[in-house]
Amino acid sequence: MSPDGVPTPELPETFDVLVHPAQALNGELRAQPSKNYTTRYLLAAALAEGETRVVGIATSEDAGAMLRCLEDWGAGVTLVGGDAVIRGFGAAPRVGVTLNPGNAGAVARFLMGVAALTTDTTFITDYPDSLGKRPQGDLLAALERLGARVGSNGGRLPLTISGPVQGGTVEVSAEKSSQYASALIFLGPLLPRGLDLRLTGQIKSHAPLRQTLDTLSAFGVRFSASEDLSRISIPGGQKYGAGRVSVPGDYPGSAAILAAAALLPGEVRLGNLRENDLQGEREAVAVLREMGADIVREGDTLIVRGGQPLNAVTRDGDGFTDAVQALTAAAALAKGMTTWENVSTLRLKECDRISDTRRELERLGIHATETADSLSITGTGKIAGGITADGHGDHRMIMLLTLLGLRAEAPIRITGAHHIRKSYPLFFRHLEDLGARFEYLQTDTH
């Protein structure tokens, strides 16, 4: 529904978006369900024996990819309103199945871990230039050390995994991604000997690991972990417990709404965001406040009174990597130079979120510099707009460019804007509900 109450038409399958400058944003929204918790809860529900109701699931492409793959593996999936009812396959997914997780990197990796329960599970992707290029070697090597047989394209998709494995002690690198460890954590309880997991290197993204362990707790699985998460022990022979779980609100996507609200005059209320949530991107609230944004909390609702002048910050961004793009929009309009440090993992996403972001910012007249693991942005008083920006097939890049377009002096066209569906299908509609205006320009290519 548009702000004036007129029903909005369905968006084209593939489209560019023309972002018009906005004068203000006002209104109230309920944060979309968490993408990260949705995929974790759905997988855990499938690993349980019996029926689990996952209440309030995300409708993102990643959630759809997980549901599709779980069905292919033999889970029963029934969608009831905004919930998913999953009849699990426990420790016995179907063997000899080909799974296509699309462009969902975390989904692919979680399933690769569980594939060690099967024989001849093959992983393919329709996105050879995105997910097909992302490294999986560290996870595959750990599975091989557990006794799995693995065949891959140089550590990348397509690949095949065969078990079964018994468990035991195994190391996995945490330098590139926490998702490798999460994949093994999901597998651990169902192994006869359990799992004594040791994470090596500088651990990236502690918050998603804590979300994975929190998921195990929600499904009645026992484990112990060191404070720094470098060692995680999971007793074997356990079962995931079927039941009912509710998905919390999504902080990574909400970071973009909060940043947009901070950049423009008006008052925006965003509900369904738990104060003590384990999502690392919850830190985006503190970062925006440090920059000068007026944000107050009332229970699970955040209230942003926008249009305040913002100032630059220097922050270690490793704990909130999926909010860095949204916060970069705030940095682009803040006084001074903002630096996101320790964010090398951004180079391993749907695009290189350091170099590609720097290039797009520079095309918009915003000075940015990079190192191997940092991005610095010097704020500007105005953004001219009037250009076509490349969305790079990356939902977070599309969010960043949209926020800049709202503050530009002339419209900005963003290519491949349909890729927003990967994590936040209602992103444009939610902004329209607050007063933004977009034009959707149908395209012929994906």
Side-chain angles (χ1 to χ4, degrees):
M1 191 76 68
S2 66
D4 58 5
V6 178
T8 50
E10 288 296 314
L11 297 180
E13 181 181 357
T14 61
F15 62 91
D16 295 351
V17 67
L18 189 67
V19 182
H20 289 273
Q23 299 303 310
L25 295 177
N26 287 284
E28 185 168 357
L29 296 172
R30 178 178 174 83
Q32 69 163 358
S34 165
K35 173 177 78 80
N36 290 343
Y37 267 106
T38 292
T39 53
R40 284 166 169 78
Y41 282 177
L42 292 174
L43 177 56
L47 294 173
E49 297 176 4
E51 191 170 275
T52 296
R53 190 176 189 112
V54 184
V55 178
I57 65 168
T59 57
S60 62
E61 288 181 347
D62 279 24
M66 180 63 87
L67 287 170
R68 184 175 64 250
C69 290
L70 295 176
E71 278 194 298
D72 290 344
W73 248 348
V77 174
T78 304
L79 299 180
V80 183
D83 304 346
V85 178
I86 308 295
R87 295 184 305 280
F89 44 64
R94 286 177 181 157
V95 302
V97 171
T98 296
L99 301 179
N100 183 348
N103 201 26
V107 170
R109 288 164 175 167
F110 296 167
L111 296 175
M112 286 176 204
V114 175
L117 298 171
T118 73
T119 56
D120 297 323
T121 295
T122 299
F123 291 84
I124 62 173
T125 180
D126 297 329
Y127 295 82
D129 293 327
S130 186
L131 180 57
K133 290 184 176 179
R134 295 172 73 173
Q136 319 296 344
D138 290 336
L139 172 57
L140 300 180
L143 290 172
E144 285 184 309
R145 287 191 290 272
L146 286 170
R149 290 175 286 114
V150 173
S152 72
N153 177 29
R156 289 170 170 78
L157 274 65
L159 57 85
T160 301
I161 299 172
S162 288
V165 299
Q166 297 301 306
T169 299
V170 69
E171 291 185 349
V172 68
S173 171
E175 287 277 359
K176 296 176 183 174
S177 175
S178 67
Q179 293 167 3
Y180 307 141
S182 285
L184 296 168
I185 290 168
F186 280 117
L187 171 67
L190 301 176
L191 298 177
R193 292 171 51 196
L195 200 65
D196 187 0
L197 181 61
R198 300 176 184 181
L199 276 61
T200 62
Q202 182 184 2
I203 298 174
K204 297 293 183 184
S205 306
H206 285 77
L209 279 174
R210 297 191 191 281
Q211 291 167 47
T212 300
L213 294 172
D214 187 46
T215 299
L216 263 59
S217 294
F219 283 79
V221 172
R222 292 175 290 110
F223 63 87
S224 61
S226 63
E227 187 174 349
D228 65 356
L229 301 183
S230 63
R231 184 162 181 170
I232 299 168
S233 296
I234 307 172
Q238 299 190 69
K239 292 184 177 181
Y240 285 79
R244 181 185 180 96
V245 290
S246 295
V247 178
D250 183 73
Y251 269 97
S254 295
I257 300 296
L258 295 171
L263 288 172
L264 288 156
E267 182 176 297
V268 172
R269 300 174 65 93
L270 186 58
N272 193 35
L273 292 173
R274 302 185 307 194
E275 183 172 8
N276 298 315
D277 198 283
L278 291 176
Q279 296 171 70
E281 286 73 18
R282 179 171 61 93
E283 186 66 13
V285 179
V287 175
L288 286 168
R289 283 174 173 158
E290 185 180 342
M291 296 178 81
D294 181 356
I295 305 176
V296 297
R297 177 180 284 279
E298 292 181 358
D300 287 349
T301 297
L302 289 168
I303 304 162
V304 186
R305 298 179 181 90
Q308 302 299 318
L310 301 179
N311 295 298
V313 296
T314 296
R315 279 296 203 109
D316 183 327
D318 180 57
F320 52 88
T321 52
D322 280 346
V324 165
Q325 308 307 110
L327 294 170
T328 293
L333 289 150
K335 182 180 179 180
M337 185 176 74
T338 293
T339 298
W340 311 123
E341 300 175 332
N342 192 27
V343 290
S344 60
T345 56
L346 289 177
R347 296 192 183 277
L348 303 173
K349 303 294 185 177
E350 285 77 2
C351 71
D352 182 335
R353 291 184 187 163
I354 294 179
S355 291
D356 291 336
T357 295
R358 176 186 56 76
R359 282 190 285 268
E360 293 304 318
L361 291 175
E362 288 176 342
R363 294 184 63 238
L364 286 161
I366 301 161
H367 181 66
T369 59
E370 63 177 280
T371 68
D373 65 352
S374 73
L375 176 66
S376 296
I377 307 101
T378 301
T380 180
K382 65 177 183 178
I383 300 170
I387 70 164
T388 296
D390 187 348
H392 291 273
D394 188 323
H395 51 128
R396 306 290 178 203
M397 180 73 81
I398 294 162
M399 293 179 194
L400 161 61
L401 295 170
T402 299
L403 269 54
L404 295 177
L406 294 175
R407 276 290 305 266
E409 296 182 347
I412 293 175
R413 179 170 180 159
I414 305 169
T415 63
H418 54 278
H419 289 290
I420 197 69
R421 296 186 180 112
K422 185 177 191 302
S423 68
Y424 199 161
L426 293 177
F427 177 68
F428 295 118
R429 297 308 196 204
H430 278 177
L431 286 173
E432 285 177 326
D433 288 344
L434 299 176
R437 186 163 70 91
F438 307 111
E439 292 180 54
Y440 304 101
L441 310 170
Q442 186 168 355
T443 59
D444 296 326
T445 58
H446 290 264

